């Protein structure tokens, strides 16, 4: 009877607990906007890790090259010492043969009895003894030098091997990060495409800004790039002529504001896909299009070099790149050639 009463009390408690769980807000993993923000942040973090690992790998590679050059110098010095020792041994052999032919095989007492001038003979023997001593000292010195050089060579080779192993570890770590980065890029681009298709712009990805103090008022929109389609070029992808400068970069590359300004548009529809437009002093506007993620909201103030988004391939795009445009109005149709415009402001592409 007691167990039945306990069961009657337990059932309502379980129902209440289920009701509370059902009423809880959806977890952030189920929220596409939050998921996209986390994914954009992950891509940015992986970019930084890949860059840092690449720098370590390159530093290790340069150190290995220096160690390899040092080992070659040691080997060359060792070879020269060996040649010098070979010459000394050759001279010793010649001296021994000369001594034998001049009666060096006889005991010194017999040589003195047979000699016309014993004192001259003794002076000659002293000279030979001194020469032998000098040669022996030279041989011993060369042997010690050879031993030191051999030890140095072994240490240099061991250090070089350690560097090679470290480089191999760094190369493996770099490849692992790049694989993770590529997978994250694919997911980031997929979410961006879905947002554009739905006509719902993704929320701003508040990326951790790098520690960069730009002394110049104007910078390039991406740090590392290859220039592709240029202003005014023709092609089947454009209704008339190309209205900006394209920067070929992988998906997720941080995109920077070229100068101080205010974000006047964040959009995600049409041929430009996800895009940001920034208004600058002097009546100029810059557009950053085909993005995979944005890091600003409309109305935000931005500084030169500040990350405002991540590159992608949304909209009418043949591959990952940043479409950068300079205009005299916020909307298309008033574009200027961005290359000379930036050049006038000290930025050479």
């Amino acid at each position: 009877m007691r167990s039945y009463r306990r069961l009657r009390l337990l059932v309502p408690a379980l129902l209440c607990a289920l009701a509370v769980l059902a009423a809880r807000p959806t977890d952030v993993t189920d929220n596409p906007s939050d998921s996209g923000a986390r994914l954009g942040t992950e891509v940015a973090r992986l970019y930084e890790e890949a860059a840092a690992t690449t720098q370590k790998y390159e530093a290790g590679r340069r150190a290995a090259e220096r160690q390899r050059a040092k080992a070659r110098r040691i080997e060359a010095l060792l070879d020269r010492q060996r040649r010098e020792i070979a010459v000394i041994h050759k001279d010793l052999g010649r001296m021994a043969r000369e001594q034998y032919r001049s009666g060096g095989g006889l005991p010194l007492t017999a040589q003195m009895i047979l000699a016309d001038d014993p004192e001259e003979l003794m002076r000659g023997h002293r000279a030979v003894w001194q020469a032998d001593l000098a040669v022996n000292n030279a041989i011993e010195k060369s042997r010690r030098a050879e031993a030191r050089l051999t030890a140095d060579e072994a240490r240099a080779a061991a250090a070089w091997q350690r560097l090679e192993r470290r480089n191999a570890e760094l190369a493996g770590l770099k490849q692992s990060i790049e694989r993770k980065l590529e997978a994250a890029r694919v997911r980031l681009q997929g979410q961006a495409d879905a947002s554009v298709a739905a006509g719902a712009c993704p929320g701003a990805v508040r990326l951790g800004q790098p520690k960069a103090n730009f002394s110049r008022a104007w910078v390039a929109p991406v740090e590392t790039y290859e220039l592709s389609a240029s202003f005014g070029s023709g092609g089947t992808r454009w209704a008339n002529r190309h209205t900006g400068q394209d920067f070929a970069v992988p998906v997720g590359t941080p995109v920077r504001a070229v100068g101080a300004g205010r974000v006047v548009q964040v959009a995600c529809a049409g041929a430009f896909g996800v895009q940001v437009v920034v208004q600058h002093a002097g009546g100029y506007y810059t557009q950053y299009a085909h993005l995979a993620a944005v890091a600003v909201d409309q109305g935000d103030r931005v500084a030169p070099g500040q990350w405002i988004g991540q590159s992608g391939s949304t909209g009418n795009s043949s591959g990952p790149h940043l479409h950068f445009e300079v205009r005299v109005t916020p909307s298309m149709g008033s574009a200027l050639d961005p290359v000379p415009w930036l050049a006038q402001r000290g930025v050479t592409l």
Side-chain angles (χ1 to χ4, degrees):
M1 190 67 179
R2 188 179 305 157
S3 61
Y4 175 71
R5 290 177 58 191
R6 187 183 298 118
L7 180 61
R8 290 181 59 190
L9 292 173
L10 182 60
V11 170
L14 287 174
L15 290 175
C16 289
L18 289 172
V20 169
L21 288 174
R24 289 177 60 190
T26 305
D27 191 84
V28 291
T29 56
D30 298 327
N31 189 324
S33 177
D34 290 340
S35 177
R38 284 201 316 279
L39 187 53
T41 303
E42 179 187 355
V43 171
R45 178 183 58 79
L46 288 170
Y47 260 104
E48 292 179 351
E49 287 185 10
T53 305
T54 299
Q55 289 177 355
K56 290 180 182 178
Y57 174 76
E58 289 300 316
R61 184 187 58 79
R62 289 191 295 270
E65 288 297 326
R66 290 193 297 270
Q67 196 66 44
R68 189 179 290 109
K70 181 180 178 181
R72 284 195 291 265
R73 289 194 300 271
I74 291 174
E75 184 60 33
L77 182 60
L78 185 58
D79 286 342
R80 186 166 67 249
Q81 290 285 1
R82 284 169 178 163
R83 287 193 298 270
E84 292 175 357
I85 291 171
V87 170
I88 291 173
H89 288 170
K90 184 178 179 181
D91 289 343
L92 282 174
R94 179 180 54 75
M95 292 173 64
R97 289 192 298 272
E98 289 292 332
Q99 188 181 28
Y100 180 79
R101 282 196 295 269
S102 62
L106 292 174
L108 179 59
T109 304
Q111 292 183 38
M112 291 182 66
I113 293 173
L114 296 174
D116 295 332
D117 189 348
E119 289 185 5
E120 183 179 352
L121 178 65
M122 289 301 297
R123 285 196 298 271
H125 270 283
R126 280 196 297 272
V128 170
W129 175 77
Q130 290 173 351
D132 285 346
L133 182 61
V135 169
N136 289 336
N137 288 339
I139 291 173
E140 184 60 28
K141 182 179 178 181
S142 296
R143 284 175 177 168
R144 288 197 301 269
E146 183 177 5
R148 285 196 303 270
L149 287 169
T150 301
D152 288 343
E153 183 185 31
R155 283 194 293 270
W160 176 77
Q161 289 172 359
R162 286 195 299 271
L163 283 170
E164 286 293 305
R165 287 195 297 270
R166 176 59 176 161
N167 281 355
E169 292 172 0
L170 286 171
L173 178 60
K174 182 169 173 283
Q175 291 174 358
S176 174
I177 292 174
E178 287 174 347
R179 284 194 298 269
K180 293 177 183 177
L181 180 57
E182 183 58 32
R185 284 172 180 159
V186 171
R187 299 201 311 274
L188 183 65
Q189 181 63 44
Q191 288 187 353
D193 289 336
S195 296
V196 171
C201 291
V205 178
R206 298 299 181 178
L207 301 172
Q209 298 292 317
K211 293 181 180 179
N213 183 18
F214 290 99
S215 58
R216 293 179 299 157
W218 301 93
V219 298
V222 283
E223 187 173 1
T224 305
Y225 55 86
E226 287 185 13
L227 296 177
S228 50
S230 57
F231 180 81
S233 58
T236 57
R237 294 188 300 277
W238 308 298
N240 296 299
R241 292 284 178 177
H242 194 232
T243 54
Q245 174 63 57
D246 285 354
F247 297 79
V249 288
V251 171
T253 301
V255 174
R256 310 184 294 191
V258 296
R262 183 174 62 88
V263 178
V264 295
Q265 184 183 38
V266 175
C268 61
F272 288 120
V274 179
Q275 61 171 311
V276 172
V277 178
V278 176
Q279 181 182 19
H280 304 280
Y284 293 104
Y285 298 81
T286 54
Q287 179 206 29
Y288 312 80
H290 305 305
L291 302 177
V294 294
V296 290
D297 286 318
Q298 190 164 315
D300 285 354
R301 304 294 303 187
V302 294
Q306 179 179 333
W307 287 356
I308 59 172
Q310 291 170 280
S311 64
S313 188
T314 54
N316 183 14
S317 172
S318 61
H321 73 284
L322 169 69
H323 174 85
F324 174 72
E325 202 166 297
V326 177
R327 302 169 176 169
V328 294
T329 66
S331 56
M332 63 180 302
S334 60
L336 305 173
D337 189 342
V339 175
W341 187 85
L342 283 173
Q344 291 171 2
R345 288 154 178 78
V347 180
T348 303
L349 300 179

